[in-house]
Amino acid sequence: MGEKLKRLKFFFVALVLLCPVFVLSQVQERFPKPDFESGYVRPDLLTPAPRAAVWEYMDIFVLVVALSLATYFAHKQRSRRNIFLLMVFSLVYFGFYRKGCVCSVGAVQNVSYALFNPAYIIPVSIILFFVFPIVFALFYGRTFCAAVCPLGAIQDAVILKPVHVPEWLASLLGVFPYVYLGLAVLFAATGAGFIICQYDPFIGFFRFGADFNMVILGLSVLLLGTIVARPYCRFLCPYGVILSWMSRLSRRHVRITPDECNKCRLCEESCPFGAIKKADDESQPIKKEGDVKRMAVIFVLLPVVVFGSGWVGSRLDISLSRLHPTVSLAEEVLLENSGKRTEMIDATKAFRASGKPSEELFSDANSIQNQFHKGGWILGAFIGLILCLKLISLFIRRRQLEYDVDKGICLSCGRCFAYCPYEQVRLGLMTPEELRELDRRDVKIKQFRA
Amino acid sequence: MKEREAKNRIKRRDFFQKSFHTIVGLTIGGLAGILSSKSSAEEMVWQLDPNICIQCEKCAVNCVLPHSAVKCVHSYSMCGYCDLCSGYLQPGAKSRDTGAESQLCPSGAIKRTYIEDPYFQYTIDEELCIGCGKCVKGCNSFGNGSLYLQARHDRCLNCNQCSIARRCPSQAWKRVPASQPYILRGDESGKYLNG
């Protein structure tokens, strides 16, 4: 027994001494496979399969059906109730059941990753998740946002007492989605990671678990969402930028009134998202003095601003590229090679074990930094352009003849429908005579005031 | 005269909008076409390459699931069935038995069963395994390397951006086709082409 223990001790000491040699070498047949005499049969290694492809197609099917229903509810039925019910269904299905992955918002990154990395094979289901809401928005407006997107749904469900965000502030905050979109595309295209998924504030709720910071972020966005309706959708969502542009071009878009607008102003405060364009007072001309001059100034400044912000973007290349794993690894290796740090970290240990020469890593990191340099130019110029266009759009004033939705902002949620007296007539809750009577009274009041 | 002008303007605006609409529609179609040329009908799933893995123990804590989808798996075909198993026993363990103080696994997820002299079988209880890879390190260092970590696809949510992959120091994680969802060792690797 003592002999055995001694041998065991020796064995361990030898092994501990040899440890540095062995740690990095793997898969070695140090011990021969045993020959069993007792008729022992080796158990199988179980390899449970991932979710079957059928279910991925099921998701796409649900997406298309939900989009069609949302469009039908908003355009034909004009029923806020049905839109809300569909929204709850989407929250449960795409959010809590599918755990929020993959969503159309995140698919933006897969698409840009696929476009710039030939090695990445993008699954068809992700392409369809990306394309379908866009196509629907191009024809019918943002019905996806209204009732299909789980991120929108969870925020819509907590709207309690929405405050009116001043137009200039909303316009200013509206720049953030463009910045976020630009950054997400840059990071995805260079392979640095998917930041939209990483900083998704609601995914923790869908999964009933996230790290502490993300839970705090999610809770604060939801808390903010009680007074500022759908803050993520309006002031952050990168996919919303794309949908908003599609919606602006849409052939058919929901209108507040099913018939005509009598400018009764009843719908004025009904939209929590500030998407209702008020009708102009026809008796007063639109003030235009100075606008042309200001616009001309912006047009002259436009190339300067675009170039300047492009330059700023390109100067950020080094700090942005640090988010790329290859670049950050190269920096760590460089730190060790130069002797500034003597102790290895996990990442550099793994790199050195792989036997890849440092020079190769450095040249890889260098080419990635070059990509970031180019990308930084494009991103900066893009943001500059957006800023200028936002400014210009403030000076473009078109005569608004009736109350209508701003196609870019409107989510087709259907909240305003019921405020319109013509909608009440359509639903049979009011007779046309009553409406005419109301109109007549309204005209009289106006005359009285005048 | 003015009326006609207004009418024309509306028509012009309408025309511009229509043409923009068509152009954007065609662009989206083109984009979808380009993408579909780079696509496959198959889903991609996350998996870690055990040959790159350095058992840093991050898999145990960085999964979005409360209990990590990464578990230790065992290629029995490679196992030496040793009595003195460096994946099972603490280095310097006083005795080679199933006592908690001798075990390397922090959650006692490895079951040791006697087969015949001098062989023991080691099985992983996935319910208990936390995916830390301590046993993997032991087995790789002194044994045959038959224990290694894998994302188990009955648990993995297949997030668009894997939360573990993002923090993996050895960049061992990659997207693999759903038909070959594991990277296995030994005879078991025959199950999938990319062994």
Side-chain angles (χ1 to χ4, degrees), chain A residues 17-51:
Chain A
L17 285 177
L18 286 172
C19 177
V21 185
F22 279 134
V23 159
L24 304 172
S25 54
Q26 302 184 336
V27 199
Q28 290 190 1
E29 208 178 289
R30 299 192 183 95
F31 302 97
K33 283 175 198 166
D35 296 317
F36 296 107
E37 285 158 8
S38 58
Y40 165 78
V41 182
R42 271 193 241 122
D44 262 341
L45 168 55
L46 298 176
T47 49
R51 197 163 168 266

Side-chain angles (χ1 to χ4, degrees), chain A residues 30 38 40 45-46 48 125, chain B residues 43 116 121 143 152 182 191:
Chain A
R30 299 192 183 95
S38 58
Y40 165 78
L45 168 55
L46 298 176
S125 58
Chain B
E43 281 295 308
E116 61 180 63
Q121 179 191 294
R152 303 297 276 168
Y182 293 94
K191 274 189 176 180

Side-chain angles (χ1 to χ4, degrees), chain A residues 4-5 8 11-12 15-16 19 22-23 25-51 53 56-57 99 101-102 106-107 109-111 113-118 120-127 130-131 134-135 138-139 193-194 197-198 207-211 246 248-251 325-326 329 346-350 398 407, chain B residues 13-14 16-18 20-21 24-25 28 31-32 34-36 38-45 50-56 58 64 66 73-84 86 89-94 96 115-116 119 121 123 126 137 139-145 148 152-154 157-161 166-167 169-171 175 178-179 181-182 184-185 187-188 191-192:
Chain A
K4 227 179 182 181
L5 253 177
L8 187 67
F11 184 57
F12 263 115
L15 285 182
V16 169
C19 177
F22 279 134
V23 159
S25 54
Q26 302 184 336
V27 199
Q28 290 190 1
E29 208 178 289
R30 299 192 183 95
F31 302 97
K33 283 175 198 166
D35 296 317
F36 296 107
E37 285 158 8
S38 58
Y40 165 78
V41 182
R42 271 193 241 122
D44 262 341
L45 168 55
L46 298 176
T47 49
R51 197 163 168 266
E56 309 297 337
Y57 291 107
K99 311 276 183 208
C101 258
V102 59
Q109 304 164 106
N110 298 69
V111 167
Y113 189 46
L115 287 177
F116 289 93
N117 293 271
Y120 174 58
I121 299 162
I122 183 169
V124 171
S125 58
I126 294 185
I127 300 179
F130 175 72
V131 168
I134 290 181
V135 171
L138 190 56
F139 285 93
F194 287 4
C197 301
Q198 202 175 319
R207 290 175 182 148
F208 297 113
D211 59 59
M246 295 302 129
R248 254 165 247 210
L249 295 172
S250 61
R251 306 295 299 143
T326 307
L329 176 64
D346 280 344
T348 52
K349 261 185 227 165
R398 222 176 259 152
K407 282 185 182 179
Chain B
R13 194 187 290 166
D14 205 38
F16 275 126
Q17 208 193 357
K18 259 186 193 166
F20 267 129
H21 183 91
V24 169
I28 292 166
L31 183 68
I34 294 170
L35 284 172
S36 60
K38 297 181 174 189
S39 72
S40 81
E42 208 174 356
E43 281 295 308
M44 302 295 271
V45 295
N51 304 315
I52 303 176
C53 169
I54 58 161
Q55 299 94 41
C56 65
K58 287 204 167 78
V64 294
V73 296
H74 195 187
S75 278
Y76 294 98
S77 66
M78 291 171 71
C79 182
Y81 289 80
C82 313
D83 181 9
L84 178 64
S86 55
L89 294 168
Q90 291 262 12
K94 291 251 163 53
R96 275 169 277 163
I115 305 285
E116 61 180 63
Y119 301 130
Q121 179 191 294
T123 34
E126 267 188 27
K137 196 160 220 157
C139 183
N140 274 342
S141 308
F142 309 125
N144 285 355
Y148 49 97
R152 303 297 276 168
H153 287 295
D154 49 343
L157 295 178
N158 197 24
C159 302
N160 201 13
Q161 167 71 69
R166 194 157 62 78
R167 297 179 177 97
S170 57
Q171 300 178 28
R175 293 181 175 91
S179 60
Y182 293 94
L184 301 177
R185 284 179 173 172
D187 292 350
E188 281 85 349
K191 274 189 176 180
Y192 304 105

Side-chain angles (χ1 to χ4, degrees), chain A residues 182-204:
Chain A
L183 281 173
V185 168
L186 177 65
F187 284 131
T190 50
F194 287 4
I195 54 167
I196 300 176
C197 301
Q198 202 175 319
Y199 297 107
D200 183 339
F202 309 113
I203 202 99

